[in-house]
Every structure is written in structure tokens, then in C-alpha cells.
Amino acid sequence: RYHAGSVFLVSIGLYSNIVWAGMLATLIAGGTIVIMPKFDARGALELMATHRVTNTAMVPLQYRLMLDADDGKIDVSSAQALMSAGSPLWEDLKRDLMARFGATIIELYGLTEGLITTLAPEEAARKLASVGKPLLGTDIRIVNDAGEDVPQGEAGEIIGYGRIVMSAYWNRPDATADVLMADAQGRHWLKTGDLGKFDDEGYLYIVGRKKDLILSGGQNIY
């Protein structure tokens, strides 16, 4: 959803791959990038109106703060694709964002190690609690502690395989062994530490966390 007319608003530090996903796509398409020196909820809304921002990528807390600072008078009609990542986008917030920005909200669930699902704006209204489906070229399974697939609808650990999954942690064979699980075909599946389940249409839902994790500013600290 990026094109030559895209205007991407950067509101998170440039160390974040949440930002790079959208920033690189904008550059490749020949679009425009607007960088905030520091995030400010009201200021982000005003920049959207001033620069006719079409795309951005933020963590849910930022969107909540923007809605809280919004008086409904700022023109945000230029919005085309607003990505949310870094932590769960809860149903009530997703609903509020859709009411303000229309069918533009893309929820992304993923790991730097190489697993991504997205929920498209057109699907959000009927799948509010879901994080969508995996990207093309990525397979996801839900398994129990023994690494066996659980029945559809039951919860288990989310694991993934695909071309973007990492080969190893740098100089950390112990950590690599903990998260990469080989199957009978010799393929290595990434164990996410997240608990999830599939519905009958193949949409993924996050239901909990298997490993300890701290979220700080949208960045994961294990």
C-alpha cells in the first residue's frame, strides 16, 4: 500500500524496524518521508493534516494518545494505511481508530527473527480480535510443548517457517537452539514464545505469552 504519492510519518526512533518497514517501502516507491524529532500526539495529528500524510507505523499506545488528543477538527482524510505493531492492538482501540481514520488500519504481528502476520483494513471489522494471516511464503503452526500440532481452535505456541526466518543468533548457539526447532524434513521452525490459536478461516489470534517479555516503547526486552 505504498506508491509514489505516499507520505510516510516517522514518529518512532530510527533504530526501530517498525519504522524501517514503512520507511524503506516509501523510499522504494519514490514517496515522501516526514520525520518527527520527538513524538507528540497532537503534533502528529497536525503533521498529518499539514503534509497530507498517507502512511505511518506506530505502536498502539501512540494511537491511543493521538485519539485522546483529538478534538475531531483536524483533517486526517489523507490517511490510507496506518500500521500498528509492537504490541497487541486491542479491539476497543482498533474500533476507535476505524471510526476516526476509516478502513486504513493494518495490524502487524511479528518478530525481528522473521515471522509476520497482517490483518488488512478490509478484514478488520469482522476480525477485530485477530492479527490476521501470515505473509506469502511464511507458514505458521500452533503446537503443544511436545512440538505437535494442536487441533484448530485450541491454543498453543506459535511457530513459523519461511524465507525471512533467521538462520541463527549471532555467536549465541545456546539461544539459537532454544528457539529453532527442526521438523522431519530438516526445516527449522522459529518458536515465538507467544501463545495463539487459529479460527476456522485460518486467522491467527494471540492469547498469551509463554516466555517473559517486557515491552518498552514498542521494543521487546526478553
Side-chain angles (χ1 to χ4, degrees):
R1 299 175 191 254
Y2 293 86
H3 50 83
S6 294
V7 180
F8 183 78
L9 178 64
V10 175
S11 64
I12 304 176
L14 299 180
Y15 52 80
S16 171
N17 57 7
I18 295 172
V19 166
W20 277 95
M23 196 163 65
L24 284 175
T26 304
L27 288 171
I28 290 168
T32 301
I33 294 172
V34 177
I35 302 178
M36 298 185 73
K38 182 179 181 181
F39 175 72
D40 171 78
R42 179 75 182 188
L45 289 165
E46 292 172 349
L47 284 173
M48 289 187 71
T50 300
H51 295 281
R52 305 300 294 162
V53 168
T54 59
N55 300 62
T56 192
M58 298 187 185
V59 299
L61 178 58
Q62 290 177 289
Y63 286 121
R64 180 75 268 167
L65 293 171
M66 285 172 64
L67 290 176
D68 290 345
D70 182 25
D71 58 9
K73 297 178 181 178
I74 298 177
D75 181 7
V76 294
S77 60
S78 59
Q80 296 177 10
L82 310 183
M83 189 175 76
S84 177
S87 61
L89 183 60
W90 302 114
E91 293 180 52
D92 57 344
L93 177 54
K94 194 179 296 185
R95 192 178 290 108
D96 290 347
L97 286 171
M98 291 163 57
R100 181 65 172 104
F101 296 100
T104 65
I105 310 303
I106 300 174
E107 182 170 10
L108 182 147
Y109 160 73
L111 291 80
T112 301
E113 290 90 338
L115 185 66
I116 296 174
T117 71
T118 57
L119 182 68
E122 297 81 7
E123 302 167 323
R126 71 184 190 93
K127 297 287 184 179
L128 277 176
S130 173
V131 293
K133 293 184 175 182
L135 295 186
L136 288 173
T138 302
D139 291 329
I140 288 180
R141 295 163 52 201
I142 307 295
V143 300
N144 58 24
D145 289 340
E148 303 163 333
D149 292 307
V150 302
Q152 179 264 314
E154 289 189 15
E157 183 172 10
I158 302 166
I159 66 172
Y161 169 81
R163 59 184 175 81
I164 63 172
V165 171
M166 70 169 193
S167 58
Y169 287 118
W170 178 250
N171 286 337
R172 287 292 308 278
D174 54 335
T176 301
D178 284 342
V179 300
L180 291 183
M181 181 181 76
D183 64 12
Q185 288 75 43
R187 299 176 300 177
H188 287 87
W189 292 75
L190 175 69
K191 296 190 288 185
T192 66
D194 291 321
L195 300 173
K197 63 181 181 180
F198 284 121
D199 68 13
D200 57 0
E201 294 182 83
Y203 286 82
L204 180 65
Y205 296 75
I206 308 299
V207 300
R209 179 74 189 161
K210 190 175 181 179
K211 297 179 180 178
D212 291 333
L213 170 66
I214 299 168
L215 279 170
S216 178
Q219 305 304 309
N220 294 347
I221 305 169
Y222 297 97

